[in-house]
């Protein structure tokens, strides 16, 4: 059964990466809206964890969806990471079934779904932690970033806006939870979401000249170090980003850093 886990988790990572890359088709206005409303976005999973109402389930949902939404109980955000993750999967067989369900839901869920944040934030983070614990690997979060500007007056073959300037960053950040009994689900979610959103806000705020002419990798790494230090606590430590690729397109010229 353990041999199946890397395959299932690899599929989950691929789906998560594709979900993150949706930002490549967003407009500068959407990027700015994300930056301006980051406080609201960050608070959503925290607010939902304390809601008294039960989640609404569409009659068209899959068995995997119904399996996972059952964990969205009243006050789940105030549970400790230790208790919540144990509830999700406490044996290797349960973990295999759980990861398969997560991959199924994440690959099909729509951003309009009222439980989208719960699945792509809380369940996604916990699935990676459970997998990491089982395989003896570090916890990490994927952090795809993008900046798009200078929209052209034509569309691509899929009807999407084409931009004269784009910058795409593939990065991850490692974190550890020293005392899972003393870190709540809401606290973890808020810290990791803040990290991701503030990195995107920082890239949004850089000018094209800074991105092209400066040491963009160092700038992003330095910013991630600052954020990791400010968000880390005695019970949960975040590390600076590992940046694997920076791809820049400037008026037809491709630059890879």
């Amino acid at each position: 059964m353990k041999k199946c886990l890397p395959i299932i988790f690899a599929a989950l990572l691929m789906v998560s990466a594709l979900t993150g890359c949706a930002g490549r088709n967003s407009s500068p206005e959407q990027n700015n809206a994300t930056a301006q409303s980051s406080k609201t976005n960050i608070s959503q999973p925290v607010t939902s964890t304390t809601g008294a109402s039960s989640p609404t389930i569409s009659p068209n949902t899959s068995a995997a969806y119904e399996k996972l939404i059952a964990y969205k109980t009243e006050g789940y955000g105030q549970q400790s990471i230790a208790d919540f993750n144990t509830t999700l999967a406490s044996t290797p067989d349960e973990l295999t079934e759980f990861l398969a369900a997560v991959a199924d839901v994440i690959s099909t869920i729509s951003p309009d779904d009222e439980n989208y944040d719960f699945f792509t934030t809380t369940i996604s983070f916990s699935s990676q932690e459970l997998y990491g614990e089982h395989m003896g690997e570090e916890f990490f979060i994927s952090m795809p970033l993008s900046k798009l500007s200078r929209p052209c007056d034509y569309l691509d073959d899929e009807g999407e806006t084409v931009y004269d300037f784009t910058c795409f960053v593939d990065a991850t950040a490692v974190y550890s939870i020293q005392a899972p009994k003393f870190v709540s689900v809401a606290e973890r979610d808020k810290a990791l979401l803040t990290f991701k959103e503030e990195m995107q806000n920082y890239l949004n705020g850089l000018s094209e000249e800074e991105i092209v002419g400066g040491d963009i990798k160092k700038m992003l790494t330095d910013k991630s170090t600052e954020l990791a230090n400010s968000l880390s606590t005695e019970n949960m430590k975040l590390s600076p980003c590992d940046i694997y690729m920076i791809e820049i397109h400037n008026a037809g010229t491709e630059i890879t850093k």
Side-chain angles (χ1 to χ4, degrees):
M1 190 66 69
K2 185 173 181 178
K3 293 181 180 179
C4 297
L5 290 175
I7 298 174
I8 296 172
F9 192 65
L12 176 59
L13 288 180
M14 182 175 293
V15 169
S16 298
L18 291 174
T19 303
C21 287
R24 298 195 175 202
N25 293 325
S26 61
S27 66
E29 291 78 9
Q30 288 173 314
N31 282 337
N32 291 336
T34 299
Q36 294 170 1
S37 64
S38 62
K39 292 183 180 179
T40 301
N41 291 338
I42 292 169
S43 66
Q44 285 175 347
V46 181
T47 302
S48 66
T49 63
T50 58
S53 60
S54 299
T56 301
I57 303 176
S58 166
N60 297 322
T61 56
S62 66
Y65 187 108
E66 293 186 15
K67 173 183 174 65
L68 297 181
I69 201 60
Y71 299 113
K72 191 179 180 182
T73 57
E74 181 178 354
Y76 75 87
Q78 303 314 311
Q79 291 185 54
S80 71
I81 294 297
D83 292 342
F84 184 73
N85 286 1
T86 298
T87 301
L88 299 177
S90 58
T91 68
D93 285 348
E94 288 180 356
L95 179 56
T96 299
E97 294 175 3
F98 173 70
L99 291 179
V102 175
D104 177 70
V105 171
I106 296 297
S107 66
T108 57
I109 193 170
S110 165
D112 296 331
D113 190 296
E114 64 179 321
N115 298 306
Y116 182 82
D117 287 338
F118 175 71
F119 289 124
T120 60
T121 299
T122 302
I123 290 296
S124 180
F125 292 156
S126 285
S127 66
Q128 295 194 45
E129 290 163 7
L130 286 166
Y131 177 84
E133 287 179 352
H134 186 76
M135 301 299 289
E137 298 178 359
E138 295 178 310
F139 302 162
F140 70 92
I141 52 173
S142 297
M143 202 172 297
L145 309 172
S146 64
K147 179 181 175 71
L148 314 174
S149 59
R150 284 187 274 137
C152 301
D153 57 1
Y154 57 89
L155 306 178
D156 64 16
D157 293 339
E158 297 180 353
E160 301 288 347
T161 302
V162 177
Y163 297 89
D164 251 355
F165 183 88
T166 62
C167 175
F168 302 120
V169 180
D170 285 339
T172 61
V174 170
Y175 67 98
S176 59
I177 301 177
Q178 280 81 1
K181 276 286 187 183
F182 298 101
V183 178
S184 72
V185 171
E187 289 170 341
R188 177 205 60 189
D189 289 359
K190 184 175 181 179
L192 297 182
L193 279 182
T194 300
F195 197 175
K196 296 175 71 171
E197 291 178 357
E198 287 303 314
M199 285 298 295
Q200 179 63 63
N201 292 343
Y202 177 73
L203 180 60
N204 286 344
L206 294 176
S207 67
E208 295 176 17
E209 291 74 20
E210 288 174 311
I211 293 173
V212 174
D215 189 341
I216 180 62
K217 184 173 184 178
K218 183 178 186 303
M219 288 190 284
L220 290 171
T221 301
D222 289 347
K223 181 62 178 179
S224 72
T225 300
E226 173 192 323
L227 286 169
N229 290 337
S230 67
L231 293 169
S232 291
T233 65
E234 180 181 355
N235 297 322
M236 179 175 174
K237 304 294 184 184
L238 287 78
S239 299
C241 290
D242 290 318
I243 299 174
Y244 300 103
M245 187 274 291
I246 300 176
E247 180 183 305
I248 302 168
H249 293 264
N250 187 18
T253 301
E254 181 176 330
I255 307 167
T256 303
K257 297 188 177 184

